[in-house]
């Protein structure tokens, strides 16, 4: 094979394989991967639908609460500001982070206040542990969402998660008639009961 023919064959081979070639001009950008954004959008839609269904379940169980909160908005407040610059205060805030609860939207706050009012009315006059449990069940709170603790000196502490989109209700019923009840969001570590211990 003569040298010019060999050189032409080698050049043709390089062009065909694309090795060592330099391309000029613009190259089309690869198509964007829409699968992740589509999955994220679908996950957002699924979460919104689950929340809508949970609210519908709540409203079916507790129609008077739903009626009293029909005009509440669903904007979530921003989280609390950063801890103080004092290193000791910052360390204390970090160690007690597990005791903080998530903020409630205006709708959840309204529902919480309405549940607090109905529980306060039902527990008026004081209750022991068994009476507190029974009173909460009579209000339509499922047994598996209620945790009652009877203390030695008589009061009954309780915590429950309102089924169908929350919120948490926590309180203490004293036998003398005094009652402390509050609504709050989930604790940072999850659940309605304050977690034990920190880090």
């Amino acid at each position: 094979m003569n040298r010019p023919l060999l050189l032409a064959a080698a050049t043709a081979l390089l062009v065909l394989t694309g090795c060592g070639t330099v391309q000029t001009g613009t190259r089309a950008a690869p198509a964007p991967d829409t699968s992740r954004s589509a999955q994220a959008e679908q996950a957002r839609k699924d979460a919104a639908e689950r929340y809508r269904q949970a609210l519908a379940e709540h409203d079916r169980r507790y129609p008077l609460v739903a009626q009293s909160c029909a005009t509440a908005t669903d904007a979530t407040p921003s989280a609390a500001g950063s801890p103080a610059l004092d290193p000791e205060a910052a360390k204390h805030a970090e160690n007690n982070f597990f005791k903080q609860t998530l903020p409630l939207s205006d709708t959840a706050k309204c529902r919480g206040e309405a549940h607090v009012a109905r529980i306060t009315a039902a527990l008026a006059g004081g209750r022991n542990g068994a009476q507190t449990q029974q009173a909460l069940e009579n209000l339509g709170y499922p047994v598996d969402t209620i945790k009652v603790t009877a203390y030695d000196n008589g009061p009954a502490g309780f915590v429950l998660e309102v089924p169908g989109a929350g919120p948490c209700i926590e309180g203490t019923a004293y036998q003398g008639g005094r009652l402390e009840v509050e609504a709050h969001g989930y604790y940072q570590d999850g659940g309605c009961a304050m977690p034990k211990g920190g880090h």
Side-chain angles (χ1 to χ4, degrees):
M1 191 176 237
N2 66 22
R3 188 172 176 91
L5 189 55
L6 187 59
L7 186 58
T11 302
L13 183 62
L14 285 174
V15 168
L16 288 175
T17 60
C19 294
T21 59
V22 176
Q23 295 182 347
T24 59
T26 60
R27 201 166 143 186
D33 181 11
T34 57
S35 61
R36 286 190 185 181
S37 60
Q39 288 174 350
E41 178 62 17
Q42 187 59 48
R44 187 194 64 73
K45 287 180 180 177
D46 291 347
E49 178 59 20
R50 284 193 301 274
Y51 182 68
R52 189 195 64 72
Q53 289 175 1
L55 280 180
E57 172 64 14
H58 171 274
D59 294 352
R60 184 189 65 75
R61 282 179 180 260
Y62 311 105
L64 294 178
V65 172
Q67 183 180 2
S68 69
C69 295
T71 59
T73 62
D74 215 10
T76 303
S78 60
S82 58
L85 295 177
D86 175 19
E88 287 302 312
K91 184 176 180 181
H92 178 76
E94 181 183 347
N95 288 341
N96 289 283
F97 182 73
F98 72 101
K99 293 181 183 178
Q100 296 177 19
T101 58
L102 297 173
L104 294 173
S105 68
D106 290 341
T107 303
K109 201 178 292 185
C110 181
R111 285 196 311 268
E113 289 168 1
H115 283 287
V116 165
R118 68 195 301 263
I119 289 171
T120 299
L123 297 179
R127 298 285 189 274
N128 63 23
Q131 292 168 330
T132 298
Q133 177 80 31
Q134 191 58 57
L136 294 172
E137 289 178 33
N138 290 346
L139 288 173
Y141 302 109
V143 177
D144 61 339
T145 69
I146 304 169
K147 180 182 178 188
V148 175
T149 304
Y151 300 106
D152 293 340
N153 61 354
F158 64 90
V159 61
L160 63 90
E161 178 181 355
V162 177
C168 303
I169 309 293
E170 199 166 353
T172 304
Y174 298 90
Q175 288 184 345
R178 189 164 62 93
L179 190 62
E180 297 171 357
V181 186
E182 69 168 334
H184 59 77
Y186 293 112
Y187 282 95
Q188 296 286 353
D189 290 346
C192 285
M194 183 184 289
K196 291 182 169 59
H199 62 277

